[in-house]
């Protein structure tokens, strides 16, 4: 992760340049995301390496500490949210907002798994929050300008609503989808 000195904090995941090393790095991130979501932050790093199909030495070369792995998984998720917002700009405003919020639900699952391990007072955490807001806020504003989202709703309101839904336990994926759909209906303008 990088931070530009003397500027607004900027973070990004630095992937290795060589294709094979980049594949291992990405496999480790994907495996870590899964393992932490299933088992929490105390999950075995050996299990992360095993699922990624690499040795534990490869994990430690890429992520010298458990904290490095937590932070990189988190930053990678935030970057994916930002990329997704860019990809959605061609869609109709409401469809773009809904698609991004669905991606946010996935992000929230990963964040919940490693949240306690993150330093929420860090420059990295603040920079990630700004990246996320800069990506999602324009989607809500577009939907509001198009009359497809309530004008009295702030982006913070929407994130709290969706975060609350993401943090709940459900009997199955269909129930989570029904609850999410009800919440999205609440963002729509009143008739």
């Amino acid at each position: 992760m990088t931070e530009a000195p003397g500027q607004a904090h900027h973070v990004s995941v630095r992937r290795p340049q060589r294709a094979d090393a980049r594949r291992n790095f990405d496999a480790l991130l994907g495996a870590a995301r899964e393992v932490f979501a299933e088992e929490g932050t105390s999950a075995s790093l050996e299990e992360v390496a095993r699922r990624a199909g690499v040795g534990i030495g490869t994990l430690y070369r890429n992520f010298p500490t458990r904290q490095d792995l937590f932070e990189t998984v988190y930053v990678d998720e935030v970057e994916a949210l930002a990329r997704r917002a860019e990809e959605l700009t061609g869609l109709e405003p409401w469809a773009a907002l809904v698609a991004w919020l669905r991606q946010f639900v996935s992000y929230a699952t990963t964040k919940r798994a490693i949240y306690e391990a993150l330093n929420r007072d860090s420059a990295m955490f603040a920079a990630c929050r700004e990246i996320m807001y800069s990506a999602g806020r324009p989607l809500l504003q577009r939907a509001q300008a198009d009359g497809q989202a309530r004008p009295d709703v702030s982006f913070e309101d929407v994130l709290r609503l969706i975060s609350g839904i993401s943090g709940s336990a459900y009997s199955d994926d269909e129930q989570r989808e029904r609850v999410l759909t009800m919440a999205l209906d609440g963002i729509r303008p009143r008739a």
Side-chain angles (χ1 to χ4, degrees):
M1 286 167 294
T2 61
E3 227 174 88
Q7 299 177 354
H9 293 292
H10 174 75
V11 294
S12 65
V13 173
R14 284 191 188 209
R15 286 180 162 69
Q17 294 300 308
R18 282 189 0 247
D20 61 331
R22 194 169 43 252
R23 274 192 303 278
N24 288 343
F25 184 90
D26 289 340
L28 283 164
L29 283 181
R33 192 176 292 114
E34 288 174 9
V35 171
F36 294 147
E38 292 169 13
E39 302 174 26
T41 55
S42 62
S44 158
L45 295 184
E46 287 79 8
E47 176 63 13
V48 172
R50 187 191 68 72
R51 285 201 202 179
V54 302
I56 192 70
T58 299
L59 183 144
Y60 283 115
R61 265 192 307 284
N62 283 283
F63 309 102
T65 69
R66 183 179 284 268
Q67 190 66 31
D68 291 330
L69 183 55
F70 294 148
E71 290 180 4
T72 304
V73 167
Y74 181 70
V75 170
D76 191 55
E77 287 285 302
V78 170
E79 288 178 340
L81 271 174
R83 283 190 306 275
R84 185 69 176 139
E86 289 173 18
E87 295 165 0
L88 295 169
T89 58
L91 289 181
E92 174 268 322
W94 179 252
L97 177 63
V98 168
W100 191 82
L101 289 173
R102 288 186 189 289
Q103 175 95 23
F104 182 86
V105 169
S106 170
Y107 150 82
T109 301
T110 299
K111 178 184 172 191
R112 187 175 63 250
I114 62 173
Y115 188 73
E116 292 307 315
L118 297 171
N119 176 357
R120 292 177 296 284
D121 295 326
S122 72
M124 177 276 303
F125 197 79
C128 284
R129 179 180 169 96
E130 186 53 41
I131 291 167
M132 186 175 33
Y133 275 58
S134 295
R137 187 178 283 126
L139 295 171
L140 175 62
Q141 290 168 339
R142 270 186 62 216
Q144 288 171 321
D146 198 49
Q148 296 190 25
R150 291 171 48 169
D152 64 330
V153 171
S154 73
F155 185 66
E156 292 79 9
D157 296 339
V158 172
L159 286 188
R160 288 204 185 275
L161 179 68
I162 301 303
S163 293
I165 290 165
S166 301
S168 297
Y170 298 96
S171 57
D172 54 34
D173 290 343
E174 290 79 22
Q175 183 184 40
R176 184 183 58 244
E177 181 59 30
R178 281 192 311 275
V179 172
L180 178 59
T181 299
M182 288 187 293
L184 292 171
D185 287 346
I187 299 169
R188 295 288 244 172
R190 294 186 181 107

